[in-house]
Amino acid sequence: MSSNQEIVARDLSVLWHPCTQMKDHEHLPLIPIRRGDGVWLEDFDGNRYIDAVSSWWVNILGHGNPRINRAVHEQLDKLEHVILAGFTHEPVVALSEQLVAMTPPGLDRVFYADNGSSGIEVALKMSFHYWQNMGHTRKQRFVTLGNSYHGETLAALAVGDVALYKSTYKPLLMDVFTAPSPDCYHRAEGESWEAYCRRQFVEMKKILAEHHEEICAVIVEPLVQCAGNMRMYHPVYLKLLREACDKYGVHLIADEIAVGFGRTGTLFACEQAGITPDFLALSKALTGGYLPLCAVLTRNEIYQAFYDDYNTMRAFLHSHSFTGNPLACAAALATLEIFETDNLIERNRELAAHMSRALERFNDHPHVAEVRQTGMIAAVEMVKDKRTREPYDWQERRGLRVYQHALKHQALLRPLGNVTYFMPPYVITPEQIDHLADVAWEGINLATKD
Ligand SMILES: *Cc1c(COP(=O)(O)O)cnc(C)c1O
């Protein structure tokens, strides 16, 4: 049987890994996984790790989930894939029916892409194209939030605002309006999340008031800017934004690729603001983290603006080879069924409360500026100076020390810069949460001791 070392040697001679400076692997171990079971990942040497980041936020029901496995196996014996133009299949129909039924009211049409970034491209193009079809040809621009992230293909990158991923490619990207983030980390001392979000909204409102005639849509990540260091905000911002978008005739695109499917405490984050966006992008957890799939939901009124005789050239001619893949749809259907039968939203409430208690002690840590949580996402932000919140120099890579410590103690805790976060599969136990908190505590102590 192979060992870690053998697989890693073969890997490093042929692969180029995502989001990685490959030279790091001269001293950082690359970890080959041979098996997954629930929250556990096991490497080729038999070491085990609790997957505290849900394998990049996708896996919500555990690895090797028997019910999803069965659904994919059964689908595999019937149909692995078929073109979705001119043809259709039962899993994609059933999934679309269910998504329409479970998402906020008014989202009645589903278009598919095969990953999150592509789904964002779909929403942006559809919004622009809608306004073109409606004769509003001056509407050609988008508004995004500071610190936002919407994926890494060029248009998705353009509407994002994380410098680490974006700045190199700036010359290639379309120009967007960027409104200040409602990220409550920056609220004044004693100021509530709600008050801060209302204050931050003023600038957004100004952009919309001044430029709405050239704006197609505003795109946001509801409640949590995950890739932007798990920064969080109050639902009131979404409510105000919905009102302003309606007032000024601008679409609202909700990117729930990371936060959809129970992550924030409700099935969808938009529910906490009581709003329906014009476009809703869902991916990641949609298939339980099994297979790539993205659903972009929109309103019938938008769909109707494309519906006409062929010769009018109003159709949305966007496509991806694996659009609506049946295996991915089968995994998604099984995932949605588990949501229902296992009462996950209810169960998550208890897990989230446990997570909150387990992380309480970090508030008093001399190098922790903030512990924040929204549902099943919790984050601990390390700083050099607790009082002024002066951050550690990014080049010191202190988060990496937490990561390395955690790997030695059965935990995959992959920080974002100096932010250690917990975004585990919903099948985690309270005891496992306690273990993660202990490991993070030791890791942060080590990472901040000099
Ligand atoms: C991950 C993510 C994306 C991009 O999805 P990919 O499948 O990685 O292309 C877009 N938006 C948000 C909010 C995400 O977290």
Side-chain angles (χ1 to χ4, degrees):
M1 204 166 54
S2 303
S3 66
N4 278 10
Q5 205 187 347
E6 286 167 59
I7 304 285
V8 168
R10 283 168 56 198
D11 177 297
L12 291 178
S13 67
V14 286
L15 263 89
W16 192 342
H17 287 267
C19 203
T20 300
Q21 169 49 264
M22 290 299 294
K23 192 165 189 287
D24 273 1
H25 286 312
E26 288 179 9
H27 55 91
L28 267 180
L30 177 66
I31 299 169
I33 295 300
R34 72 173 166 201
R35 185 177 298 130
D37 180 16
V39 297
W40 291 101
L41 295 168
E42 184 187 301
D43 72 18
F44 279 74
D45 289 347
N47 303 306
R48 302 204 317 152
Y49 312 89
I50 296 176
D51 188 356
V53 299
S54 295
S55 282
W56 256 350
W57 321 340
V58 300
N59 188 301
I60 50 172
L61 299 173
H63 296 277
N65 184 293
R67 289 154 79 181
I68 306 177
N69 284 6
R70 199 175 325 122
V72 175
H73 275 292
E74 279 171 15
Q75 183 56 42
L76 190 54
D77 286 334
K78 288 187 226 154
L79 174 69
E80 78 301 328
H81 185 65
V82 66
I83 177 173
L84 199 66
F87 284 70
T88 191
H89 53 87
E90 217 264 332
V92 80
V93 174
L95 178 60
S96 307
E97 287 169 346
Q98 291 200 23
L99 289 174
V100 164
M102 72 199 294
T103 50
L107 295 169
D108 296 319
R109 285 283 161 184
V110 194
F111 191 96
Y112 289 91
D114 33 23
N115 63 73
S117 304
S118 303
I120 294 301
E121 305 275 335
V122 165
L124 297 172
K125 283 176 70 179
M126 261 187 194
S127 173
F128 166 81
H129 197 159
Y130 168 89
W131 294 116
Q132 295 295 306
N133 281 354
M134 298 298 282
H136 295 272
T137 50
R138 279 186 62 207
K139 282 182 175 283
Q140 302 184 2
R141 297 187 65 185
F142 295 92
V143 184
T144 186
L145 292 177
N147 193 46
S148 58
Y149 178 89
H150 298 289
E152 318 241 2
T153 56
L154 292 176
L157 200 57
V159 294
D161 185 49
V162 177
L164 181 64
Y165 309 128
K166 182 171 182 175
S167 52
T168 306
Y169 306 102
K170 237 357 199 311
L172 304 181
L173 306 179
M174 67 175 169
D175 198 22
V176 296
F177 292 105
T178 305
S181 174
D183 165 12
C184 289
Y185 183 73
H186 297 295
R187 70 195 185 281
E189 219 183 311
E191 188 175 27
S192 72
W193 281 34
E194 178 173 352
Y196 183 70
C197 288
R198 286 183 183 277
R199 188 150 70 83
Q200 288 303 90
F201 187 72
V202 172
E203 208 48 45
M204 170 66 87
K205 178 116 188 215
K206 212 155 102 194
I207 293 173
L208 291 174
E210 279 172 26
H211 300 284
H212 61 94
E213 285 174 355
E214 13 162 359
I215 294 171
C216 302
V218 178
I219 181 167
V220 296
E221 296 155 273
L223 301 188
V224 188
Q225 297 186 313
C226 294
N229 290 351
M230 298 295 165
R231 294 291 178 76
M232 301 175 182
Y233 61 93
H234 192 275
V236 74
Y237 191 91
L238 297 172
K239 237 177 93 189
L240 296 172
L241 184 57
R242 178 71 274 180
E243 287 166 14
C245 284
D246 286 341
K247 176 171 177 187
Y248 291 111
V250 165
H251 289 148
L252 175 55
I253 303 172
D255 175 355
E256 294 218 17
I257 289 169
V259 296
F261 300 103
R263 198 42 95 171
T264 64
T266 44
L267 191 52
F268 300 105
C270 281
E271 292 171 26
Q272 294 184 41
I275 62 151
T276 299
D278 301 290
F279 298 92
L280 174 66
L282 303 170
S283 186
K284 291 200 164 114
L286 170 60
T287 60
Y290 265 58
L291 287 156
L293 182 69
C294 182
V296 181
L297 286 94
T298 190
R299 297 186 291 107
N300 260 330
E301 188 251 328
I302 289 172
Y303 169 78
Q304 287 299 337
F306 294 79
Y307 194 91
D308 206 340
D309 294 327
Y310 183 81
N311 293 347
T312 60
M313 292 298 291
R314 288 158 75 96
F316 189 62
L317 296 182
H318 185 104
S319 63
H320 295 288
S321 309
F322 287 97
T323 296
N325 174 260
L327 296 172
C329 290
L333 284 166
T335 301
L336 299 188
E337 192 183 299
I338 294 170
F339 256 96
E340 222 156 83
T341 56
D342 291 18
N343 238 328
L344 290 183
I345 300 291
E346 201 55 43
R347 208 183 102 81
N348 278 358
R349 216 162 282 155
E350 287 161 35
L351 283 175
H354 190 88
M355 202 143 73
S356 163
R357 285 191 296 274
L359 296 180
E360 237 163 54
R361 62 176 144 157
F362 288 80
N363 280 301
D364 297 324
H365 193 283
H367 288 287
V368 168
E370 183 176 72
V371 182
R372 52 183 175 268
Q373 185 177 0
T374 300
M376 288 295 284
I377 308 174
V380 175
E381 181 134 0
M382 280 190 307
V383 286
K384 188 168 175 186
D385 188 316
K386 191 179 178 83
R387 200 180 48 80
T388 64
R389 291 193 162 181
E390 184 196 342
Y392 282 113
D393 185 348
W394 64 271
Q395 289 167 329
E396 293 172 6
R397 302 182 79 181
R398 286 173 191 260
L400 196 59
R401 301 186 203 171
V402 181
Y403 173 71
Q404 288 176 294
H405 174 79
L407 287 179
K408 289 185 211 131
H409 295 87
Q410 300 200 313
L412 162 49
L413 278 169
R414 184 187 159 96
L416 288 155
N418 291 323
V419 174
T420 301
Y421 68 90
F422 308 83
M423 200 160 163
Y426 309 159
V427 294
I428 197 165
T429 65
E431 294 69 32
Q432 289 164 339
I433 289 173
D434 291 342
H435 176 71
L436 292 177
D438 286 343
V439 170
W441 178 261
E442 294 155 12
I444 288 174
N445 279 339
L446 278 174
T448 58
K449 76 170 190 253
D450 51 14

